[in-house]
Amino acid sequence: MIIQPHIQGCVARNCHPLGCRAAVHEQIERVRATGTFAGPKRVLVIGASSGFGLASRIALTFGSGADTIGISLERGPSEKGLGSAGWYNNIWFREAAEEEGRVALNLIGDAFSDSMRQQSIMAIRERLGQVDLVVYSLASALRILPDGTQVRSVLKSTGSPFSGLGYDLEHDALIPQSLDPASEQEIRDTVSVMGGEDWQIWMQALAEAGCLAHGAQTVAYSYIGPESTYPLYRDGTIGYAKEHLHASAEAINLQLAGMGGHAWVAVCKALVTKASAFIPVLPVYLAVLMQVMKERGTHEGCIEQMMRLFGDKMYGGRGVLADGHRLIRMDDWELDPHTQAAVAALWARVTPENFRTLGDFTGLRRDFLALNGFGLAGVDYQAPLEPSSLLALHP
């Protein structure tokens, strides 16, 4: 079968397995071109199959020589389809890491569940002994609580509605989008799913099981953005969740104090991920930001962000470079005043008729397709792929 991208709205419904391999290898080569750093050697990545989590794992394995265990909830090939991009990302990462002599164990399941925590504890004991770093990079719309209750997050505003132009990836067009105000229950549910409660549970479980080495650190990922994006992000339900995540870093840091450990939140720049593409209106800001930062020579993708995070701001030999709130500001280049002034000037002029001339929507679309294995150099997308050959591949 010949696989072509199938996009509905801002969601990719399929992937190209060989394209996913090319995307993983491309990130690996970028790390090798950047050089090595003296970072952690035993790492657990919670949410490891795409975006920041996958980039973290690649940066730490090929930049620092780390052995890793990665957790993700992905689906493999079946009668319903070829499976998810993350499924194949896990496979190709493991193969490349093992060729380097590194441990690269993939655990497939619900990272919110107690059973996955216990499975991870057993795997750490058997394969790594302990871990020096825990990366928390979950992005989910659903959390099943220990009592079986299902809690869902929502992307809504708080207080009053918000409207603006959003980007429809399926039709390559700008369309009106809006965020409705969330109820108090929806805010609480979003905080439950996307806040720091589960991160704290993970760190407590790992500590009690003796899986954290002395001086172990943990980092979770967040976003704040400029004031112009506050109505759709920081002041929305997702912003409430991120504030809870930030506060959780303080609590976890106290948990780790007795073993000399620390907890941090890395505030990343706006980037093309499966999650960010789904947030109403935000992709328009992102396309304009990409245009400006590429012109200024400051644009980074996920892998560049993670190499700078670990190689410079966490393990660069100067101590962890964070502010007084335990935030490592990876958005420093994005929030540069000159950059934001240029973004604001362009964004104010964007219309459904001229958007392609004012923002890097071509680059945004290219990055989104690459997340699912499409548009990668060296891949013959016209060559048929035999689905049965994929059944022998296992994470």
PDB file of all heavy atoms in Angstrom, residues 226-256:
ATOM      1  N   PRO A 226       4.030  34.950  25.424  1.00  0.00           N
ATOM      2  CA  PRO A 226       3.926  36.392  25.596  1.00  0.00           C
ATOM      3  C   PRO A 226       2.519  36.799  26.020  1.00  0.00           C
ATOM      4  O   PRO A 226       1.571  36.015  25.910  1.00  0.00           O
ATOM      5  CB  PRO A 226       4.244  36.930  24.197  1.00  0.00           C
ATOM      6  CG  PRO A 226       3.736  35.859  23.293  1.00  0.00           C
ATOM      7  CD  PRO A 226       4.035  34.572  23.996  1.00  0.00           C
ATOM      8  N   GLU A 227       2.380  38.023  26.462  1.00  0.00           N
ATOM      9  CA  GLU A 227       1.092  38.514  26.933  1.00  0.00           C
ATOM     10  C   GLU A 227       0.016  38.430  25.856  1.00  0.00           C
ATOM     11  O   GLU A 227      -1.158  38.223  26.163  1.00  0.00           O
ATOM     12  CB  GLU A 227       1.231  39.956  27.417  1.00  0.00           C
ATOM     13  CG  GLU A 227       0.002  40.485  28.143  1.00  0.00           C
ATOM     14  CD  GLU A 227       0.237  41.843  28.771  1.00  0.00           C
ATOM     15  OE1 GLU A 227       1.416  42.257  28.869  1.00  0.00           O
ATOM     16  OE2 GLU A 227      -0.750  42.485  29.178  1.00  0.00           O
ATOM     17  N   SER A 228       0.408  38.540  24.605  1.00  0.00           N
ATOM     18  CA  SER A 228      -0.569  38.490  23.511  1.00  0.00           C
ATOM     19  C   SER A 228      -1.273  37.146  23.403  1.00  0.00           C
ATOM     20  O   SER A 228      -2.360  37.050  22.841  1.00  0.00           O
ATOM     21  CB  SER A 228       0.116  38.814  22.178  1.00  0.00           C
ATOM     22  OG  SER A 228       1.186  37.904  21.918  1.00  0.00           O
ATOM     23  N   THR A 229      -0.663  36.078  23.960  1.00  0.00           N
ATOM     24  CA  THR A 229      -1.284  34.749  23.903  1.00  0.00           C
ATOM     25  C   THR A 229      -1.993  34.369  25.198  1.00  0.00           C
ATOM     26  O   THR A 229      -2.559  33.275  25.290  1.00  0.00           O
ATOM     27  CB  THR A 229      -0.233  33.662  23.584  1.00  0.00           C
ATOM     28  OG1 THR A 229       0.690  33.566  24.686  1.00  0.00           O
ATOM     29  CG2 THR A 229       0.528  33.979  22.307  1.00  0.00           C
ATOM     30  N   TYR A 230      -1.955  35.231  26.202  1.00  0.00           N
ATOM     31  CA  TYR A 230      -2.537  34.876  27.496  1.00  0.00           C
ATOM     32  C   TYR A 230      -4.009  34.461  27.411  1.00  0.00           C
ATOM     33  O   TYR A 230      -4.408  33.487  28.073  1.00  0.00           O
ATOM     34  CB  TYR A 230      -2.397  36.036  28.486  1.00  0.00           C
ATOM     35  CG  TYR A 230      -1.015  36.207  29.077  1.00  0.00           C
ATOM     36  CD1 TYR A 230       0.065  35.427  28.658  1.00  0.00           C
ATOM     37  CD2 TYR A 230      -0.781  37.159  30.063  1.00  0.00           C
ATOM     38  CE1 TYR A 230       1.325  35.599  29.193  1.00  0.00           C
ATOM     39  CE2 TYR A 230       0.486  37.330  30.613  1.00  0.00           C
ATOM     40  CZ  TYR A 230       1.534  36.548  30.174  1.00  0.00           C
ATOM     41  OH  TYR A 230       2.779  36.719  30.716  1.00  0.00           O
ATOM     42  N   PRO A 231      -4.870  35.147  26.647  1.00  0.00           N
ATOM     43  CA  PRO A 231      -6.288  34.756  26.638  1.00  0.00           C
ATOM     44  C   PRO A 231      -6.522  33.318  26.185  1.00  0.00           C
ATOM     45  O   PRO A 231      -7.487  32.681  26.620  1.00  0.00           O
ATOM     46  CB  PRO A 231      -6.924  35.752  25.667  1.00  0.00           C
ATOM     47  CG  PRO A 231      -6.019  36.940  25.693  1.00  0.00           C
ATOM     48  CD  PRO A 231      -4.651  36.374  25.842  1.00  0.00           C
ATOM     49  N   LEU A 232      -5.656  32.805  25.309  1.00  0.00           N
ATOM     50  CA  LEU A 232      -5.882  31.458  24.796  1.00  0.00           C
ATOM     51  C   LEU A 232      -5.008  30.416  25.475  1.00  0.00           C
ATOM     52  O   LEU A 232      -5.199  29.217  25.270  1.00  0.00           O
ATOM     53  CB  LEU A 232      -5.682  31.432  23.278  1.00  0.00           C
ATOM     54  CG  LEU A 232      -4.321  31.897  22.738  1.00  0.00           C
ATOM     55  CD1 LEU A 232      -3.442  30.717  22.373  1.00  0.00           C
ATOM     56  CD2 LEU A 232      -4.534  32.759  21.491  1.00  0.00           C
ATOM     57  N   TYR A 233      -4.056  30.842  26.289  1.00  0.00           N
ATOM     58  CA  TYR A 233      -3.191  29.865  26.937  1.00  0.00           C
ATOM     59  C   TYR A 233      -3.077  30.123  28.444  1.00  0.00           C
ATOM     60  O   TYR A 233      -3.711  29.423  29.241  1.00  0.00           O
ATOM     61  CB  TYR A 233      -1.788  29.862  26.301  1.00  0.00           C
ATOM     62  CG  TYR A 233      -1.026  28.602  26.620  1.00  0.00           C
ATOM     63  CD1 TYR A 233      -0.984  27.539  25.723  1.00  0.00           C
ATOM     64  CD2 TYR A 233      -0.360  28.435  27.830  1.00  0.00           C
ATOM     65  CE1 TYR A 233      -0.311  26.363  26.020  1.00  0.00           C
ATOM     66  CE2 TYR A 233       0.327  27.275  28.140  1.00  0.00           C
ATOM     67  CZ  TYR A 233       0.342  26.242  27.229  1.00  0.00           C
ATOM     68  OH  TYR A 233       1.011  25.069  27.543  1.00  0.00           O
ATOM     69  N   ARG A 234      -2.307  31.119  28.854  1.00  0.00           N
ATOM     70  CA  ARG A 234      -2.035  31.292  30.283  1.00  0.00           C
ATOM     71  C   ARG A 234      -3.298  31.559  31.087  1.00  0.00           C
ATOM     72  O   ARG A 234      -3.428  31.091  32.223  1.00  0.00           O
ATOM     73  CB  ARG A 234      -1.039  32.433  30.490  1.00  0.00           C
ATOM     74  CG  ARG A 234      -0.569  32.538  31.938  1.00  0.00           C
ATOM     75  CD  ARG A 234       0.555  33.536  32.097  1.00  0.00           C
ATOM     76  NE  ARG A 234       1.024  33.564  33.479  1.00  0.00           N
ATOM     77  CZ  ARG A 234       2.029  34.330  33.897  1.00  0.00           C
ATOM     78  NH1 ARG A 234       2.670  35.105  33.049  1.00  0.00           N
ATOM     79  NH2 ARG A 234       2.396  34.305  35.166  1.00  0.00           N
ATOM     80  N   ASP A 235      -4.245  32.317  30.523  1.00  0.00           N
ATOM     81  CA  ASP A 235      -5.485  32.600  31.233  1.00  0.00           C
ATOM     82  C   ASP A 235      -6.583  31.580  30.938  1.00  0.00           C
ATOM     83  O   ASP A 235      -7.706  31.730  31.420  1.00  0.00           O
ATOM     84  CB  ASP A 235      -5.995  34.000  30.865  1.00  0.00           C
ATOM     85  CG  ASP A 235      -5.051  35.094  31.357  1.00  0.00           C
ATOM     86  OD1 ASP A 235      -4.258  34.824  32.276  1.00  0.00           O
ATOM     87  OD2 ASP A 235      -5.107  36.206  30.800  1.00  0.00           O
ATOM     88  N   GLY A 236      -6.259  30.561  30.137  1.00  0.00           N
ATOM     89  CA  GLY A 236      -7.222  29.508  29.835  1.00  0.00           C
ATOM     90  C   GLY A 236      -7.072  28.325  30.773  1.00  0.00           C
ATOM     91  O   GLY A 236      -6.262  28.346  31.712  1.00  0.00           O
ATOM     92  N   THR A 237      -7.846  27.286  30.527  1.00  0.00           N
ATOM     93  CA  THR A 237      -7.778  26.105  31.392  1.00  0.00           C
ATOM     94  C   THR A 237      -6.388  25.484  31.402  1.00  0.00           C
ATOM     95  O   THR A 237      -5.905  25.043  32.450  1.00  0.00           O
ATOM     96  CB  THR A 237      -8.797  25.051  30.935  1.00  0.00           C
ATOM     97  OG1 THR A 237      -8.608  24.783  29.530  1.00  0.00           O
ATOM     98  CG2 THR A 237     -10.223  25.523  31.160  1.00  0.00           C
ATOM     99  N   ILE A 238      -5.735  25.470  30.249  1.00  0.00           N
ATOM    100  CA  ILE A 238      -4.404  24.866  30.181  1.00  0.00           C
ATOM    101  C   ILE A 238      -3.410  25.680  31.006  1.00  0.00           C
ATOM    102  O   ILE A 238      -2.480  25.136  31.602  1.00  0.00           O
ATOM    103  CB  ILE A 238      -3.952  24.724  28.710  1.00  0.00           C
ATOM    104  CG1 ILE A 238      -2.702  23.849  28.626  1.00  0.00           C
ATOM    105  CG2 ILE A 238      -3.736  26.077  28.057  1.00  0.00           C
ATOM    106  CD1 ILE A 238      -2.332  23.476  27.206  1.00  0.00           C
ATOM    107  N   GLY A 239      -3.629  27.001  31.074  1.00  0.00           N
ATOM    108  CA  GLY A 239      -2.770  27.841  31.893  1.00  0.00           C
ATOM    109  C   GLY A 239      -2.915  27.538  33.374  1.00  0.00           C
ATOM    110  O   GLY A 239      -1.929  27.546  34.131  1.00  0.00           O
ATOM    111  N   TYR A 240      -4.151  27.276  33.818  1.00  0.00           N
ATOM    112  CA  TYR A 240      -4.373  26.883  35.209  1.00  0.00           C
ATOM    113  C   TYR A 240      -3.609  25.588  35.520  1.00  0.00           C
ATOM    114  O   TYR A 240      -3.017  25.440  36.597  1.00  0.00           O
ATOM    115  CB  TYR A 240      -5.861  26.664  35.465  1.00  0.00           C
ATOM    116  CG  TYR A 240      -6.639  27.905  35.816  1.00  0.00           C
ATOM    117  CD1 TYR A 240      -6.908  28.885  34.853  1.00  0.00           C
ATOM    118  CD2 TYR A 240      -7.116  28.132  37.103  1.00  0.00           C
ATOM    119  CE1 TYR A 240      -7.623  30.036  35.165  1.00  0.00           C
ATOM    120  CE2 TYR A 240      -7.832  29.271  37.433  1.00  0.00           C
ATOM    121  CZ  TYR A 240      -8.082  30.222  36.454  1.00  0.00           C
ATOM    122  OH  TYR A 240      -8.785  31.356  36.770  1.00  0.00           O
ATOM    123  N   ALA A 241      -3.639  24.659  34.561  1.00  0.00           N
ATOM    124  CA  ALA A 241      -2.937  23.394  34.766  1.00  0.00           C
ATOM    125  C   ALA A 241      -1.432  23.610  34.862  1.00  0.00           C
ATOM    126  O   ALA A 241      -0.751  23.003  35.707  1.00  0.00           O
ATOM    127  CB  ALA A 241      -3.262  22.428  33.633  1.00  0.00           C
ATOM    128  N   LYS A 242      -0.895  24.474  34.011  1.00  0.00           N
ATOM    129  CA  LYS A 242       0.544  24.724  34.038  1.00  0.00           C
ATOM    130  C   LYS A 242       0.959  25.434  35.327  1.00  0.00           C
ATOM    131  O   LYS A 242       2.052  25.174  35.856  1.00  0.00           O
ATOM    132  CB  LYS A 242       0.953  25.530  32.815  1.00  0.00           C
ATOM    133  CG  LYS A 242       0.779  24.774  31.494  1.00  0.00           C
ATOM    134  CD  LYS A 242       1.528  23.451  31.481  1.00  0.00           C
ATOM    135  CE  LYS A 242       1.414  22.738  30.155  1.00  0.00           C
ATOM    136  NZ  LYS A 242       2.084  21.406  30.156  1.00  0.00           N
ATOM    137  N   GLU A 243       0.123  26.332  35.839  1.00  0.00           N
ATOM    138  CA  GLU A 243       0.441  26.968  37.116  1.00  0.00           C
ATOM    139  C   GLU A 243       0.505  25.935  38.235  1.00  0.00           C
ATOM    140  O   GLU A 243       1.353  26.006  39.137  1.00  0.00           O
ATOM    141  CB  GLU A 243      -0.603  28.046  37.440  1.00  0.00           C
ATOM    142  CG  GLU A 243      -0.450  29.317  36.631  1.00  0.00           C
ATOM    143  CD  GLU A 243       0.879  30.011  36.872  1.00  0.00           C
ATOM    144  OE1 GLU A 243       1.346  30.017  38.037  1.00  0.00           O
ATOM    145  OE2 GLU A 243       1.461  30.529  35.902  1.00  0.00           O
ATOM    146  N   HIS A 244      -0.390  24.950  38.173  1.00  0.00           N
ATOM    147  CA  HIS A 244      -0.355  23.865  39.157  1.00  0.00           C
ATOM    148  C   HIS A 244       0.922  23.050  38.997  1.00  0.00           C
ATOM    149  O   HIS A 244       1.540  22.627  39.997  1.00  0.00           O
ATOM    150  CB  HIS A 244      -1.588  22.972  38.987  1.00  0.00           C
ATOM    151  CG  HIS A 244      -1.729  21.922  40.045  1.00  0.00           C
ATOM    152  ND1 HIS A 244      -1.098  20.702  39.973  1.00  0.00           N
ATOM    153  CD2 HIS A 244      -2.423  21.915  41.211  1.00  0.00           C
ATOM    154  CE1 HIS A 244      -1.408  19.978  41.029  1.00  0.00           C
ATOM    155  NE2 HIS A 244      -2.196  20.692  41.804  1.00  0.00           N
ATOM    156  N   LEU A 245       1.329  22.832  37.756  1.00  0.00           N
ATOM    157  CA  LEU A 245       2.576  22.114  37.491  1.00  0.00           C
ATOM    158  C   LEU A 245       3.758  22.863  38.104  1.00  0.00           C
ATOM    159  O   LEU A 245       4.632  22.256  38.733  1.00  0.00           O
ATOM    160  CB  LEU A 245       2.772  21.965  35.980  1.00  0.00           C
ATOM    161  CG  LEU A 245       3.985  21.153  35.525  1.00  0.00           C
ATOM    162  CD1 LEU A 245       3.704  19.663  35.673  1.00  0.00           C
ATOM    163  CD2 LEU A 245       4.338  21.471  34.073  1.00  0.00           C
ATOM    164  N   HIS A 246       3.788  24.186  37.916  1.00  0.00           N
ATOM    165  CA  HIS A 246       4.876  24.981  38.470  1.00  0.00           C
ATOM    166  C   HIS A 246       4.914  24.877  40.002  1.00  0.00           C
ATOM    167  O   HIS A 246       5.990  24.722  40.596  1.00  0.00           O
ATOM    168  CB  HIS A 246       4.725  26.450  38.061  1.00  0.00           C
ATOM    169  CG  HIS A 246       4.733  26.658  36.573  1.00  0.00           C
ATOM    170  ND1 HIS A 246       4.511  27.887  35.997  1.00  0.00           N
ATOM    171  CD2 HIS A 246       4.929  25.800  35.548  1.00  0.00           C
ATOM    172  CE1 HIS A 246       4.569  27.779  34.682  1.00  0.00           C
ATOM    173  NE2 HIS A 246       4.815  26.523  34.392  1.00  0.00           N
ATOM    174  N   ALA A 247       3.741  24.962  40.617  1.00  0.00           N
ATOM    175  CA  ALA A 247       3.680  24.856  42.081  1.00  0.00           C
ATOM    176  C   ALA A 247       4.119  23.471  42.547  1.00  0.00           C
ATOM    177  O   ALA A 247       4.733  23.328  43.619  1.00  0.00           O
ATOM    178  CB  ALA A 247       2.267  25.165  42.567  1.00  0.00           C
ATOM    179  N   SER A 248       3.825  22.454  41.750  1.00  0.00           N
ATOM    180  CA  SER A 248       4.197  21.086  42.120  1.00  0.00           C
ATOM    181  C   SER A 248       5.705  20.911  42.162  1.00  0.00           C
ATOM    182  O   SER A 248       6.223  20.077  42.926  1.00  0.00           O
ATOM    183  CB  SER A 248       3.580  20.084  41.137  1.00  0.00           C
ATOM    184  OG  SER A 248       2.167  20.134  41.199  1.00  0.00           O
ATOM    185  N   ALA A 249       6.431  21.676  41.338  1.00  0.00           N
ATOM    186  CA  ALA A 249       7.891  21.582  41.361  1.00  0.00           C
ATOM    187  C   ALA A 249       8.429  21.937  42.745  1.00  0.00           C
ATOM    188  O   ALA A 249       9.388  21.319  43.229  1.00  0.00           O
ATOM    189  CB  ALA A 249       8.499  22.498  40.300  1.00  0.00           C
ATOM    190  N   GLU A 250       7.817  22.925  43.387  1.00  0.00           N
ATOM    191  CA  GLU A 250       8.238  23.304  44.737  1.00  0.00           C
ATOM    192  C   GLU A 250       8.007  22.162  45.716  1.00  0.00           C
ATOM    193  O   GLU A 250       8.861  21.842  46.559  1.00  0.00           O
ATOM    194  CB  GLU A 250       7.474  24.551  45.190  1.00  0.00           C
ATOM    195  CG  GLU A 250       7.697  25.786  44.340  1.00  0.00           C
ATOM    196  CD  GLU A 250       9.050  26.436  44.587  1.00  0.00           C
ATOM    197  OE1 GLU A 250       9.786  25.959  45.488  1.00  0.00           O
ATOM    198  OE2 GLU A 250       9.376  27.402  43.884  1.00  0.00           O
ATOM    199  N   ALA A 251       6.826  21.523  45.614  1.00  0.00           N
ATOM    200  CA  ALA A 251       6.509  20.419  46.519  1.00  0.00           C
ATOM    201  C   ALA A 251       7.426  19.221  46.284  1.00  0.00           C
ATOM    202  O   ALA A 251       7.908  18.586  47.237  1.00  0.00           O
ATOM    203  CB  ALA A 251       5.050  20.014  46.339  1.00  0.00           C
ATOM    204  N   ILE A 252       7.673  18.906  45.025  1.00  0.00           N
ATOM    205  CA  ILE A 252       8.544  17.772  44.712  1.00  0.00           C
ATOM    206  C   ILE A 252       9.971  18.063  45.151  1.00  0.00           C
ATOM    207  O   ILE A 252      10.695  17.171  45.618  1.00  0.00           O
ATOM    208  CB  ILE A 252       8.484  17.454  43.204  1.00  0.00           C
ATOM    209  CG1 ILE A 252       7.074  16.997  42.810  1.00  0.00           C
ATOM    210  CG2 ILE A 252       9.507  16.382  42.826  1.00  0.00           C
ATOM    211  CD1 ILE A 252       6.854  16.897  41.320  1.00  0.00           C
ATOM    212  N   ASN A 253      10.390  19.303  45.001  1.00  0.00           N
ATOM    213  CA  ASN A 253      11.740  19.672  45.427  1.00  0.00           C
ATOM    214  C   ASN A 253      11.939  19.409  46.917  1.00  0.00           C
ATOM    215  O   ASN A 253      13.002  18.944  47.346  1.00  0.00           O
ATOM    216  CB  ASN A 253      12.002  21.134  45.099  1.00  0.00           C
ATOM    217  CG  ASN A 253      13.472  21.469  45.061  1.00  0.00           C
ATOM    218  OD1 ASN A 253      14.216  20.950  44.220  1.00  0.00           O
ATOM    219  ND2 ASN A 253      13.916  22.319  45.973  1.00  0.00           N
ATOM    220  N   LEU A 254      10.899  19.665  47.697  1.00  0.00           N
ATOM    221  CA  LEU A 254      10.964  19.364  49.132  1.00  0.00           C
ATOM    222  C   LEU A 254      11.038  17.859  49.355  1.00  0.00           C
ATOM    223  O   LEU A 254      11.749  17.387  50.262  1.00  0.00           O
ATOM    224  CB  LEU A 254       9.753  19.959  49.846  1.00  0.00           C
ATOM    225  CG  LEU A 254       9.707  21.486  49.938  1.00  0.00           C
ATOM    226  CD1 LEU A 254       8.389  21.951  50.557  1.00  0.00           C
ATOM    227  CD2 LEU A 254      10.898  22.022  50.753  1.00  0.00           C
ATOM    228  N   GLN A 255      10.282  17.090  48.542  1.00  0.00           N
ATOM    229  CA  GLN A 255      10.331  15.635  48.651  1.00  0.00           C
ATOM    230  C   GLN A 255      11.753  15.115  48.429  1.00  0.00           C
ATOM    231  O   GLN A 255      12.185  14.150  49.075  1.00  0.00           O
ATOM    232  CB  GLN A 255       9.419  14.989  47.599  1.00  0.00           C
ATOM    233  CG  GLN A 255       7.930  15.092  47.851  1.00  0.00           C
ATOM    234  CD  GLN A 255       7.130  14.435  46.737  1.00  0.00           C
ATOM    235  OE1 GLN A 255       6.108  14.936  46.313  1.00  0.00           O
ATOM    236  NE2 GLN A 255       7.606  13.325  46.234  1.00  0.00           N
ATOM    237  N   LEU A 256      12.461  15.727  47.480  1.00  0.00           N
ATOM    238  CA  LEU A 256      13.771  15.220  47.067  1.00  0.00           C
ATOM    239  C   LEU A 256      14.914  15.773  47.906  1.00  0.00           C
ATOM    240  O   LEU A 256      16.062  15.341  47.756  1.00  0.00           O
ATOM    241  CB  LEU A 256      14.026  15.570  45.593  1.00  0.00           C
ATOM    242  CG  LEU A 256      13.034  15.017  44.568  1.00  0.00           C
ATOM    243  CD1 LEU A 256      13.424  15.470  43.165  1.00  0.00           C
ATOM    244  CD2 LEU A 256      12.963  13.498  44.637  1.00  0.00           C
TER     245      LEU A 256
END
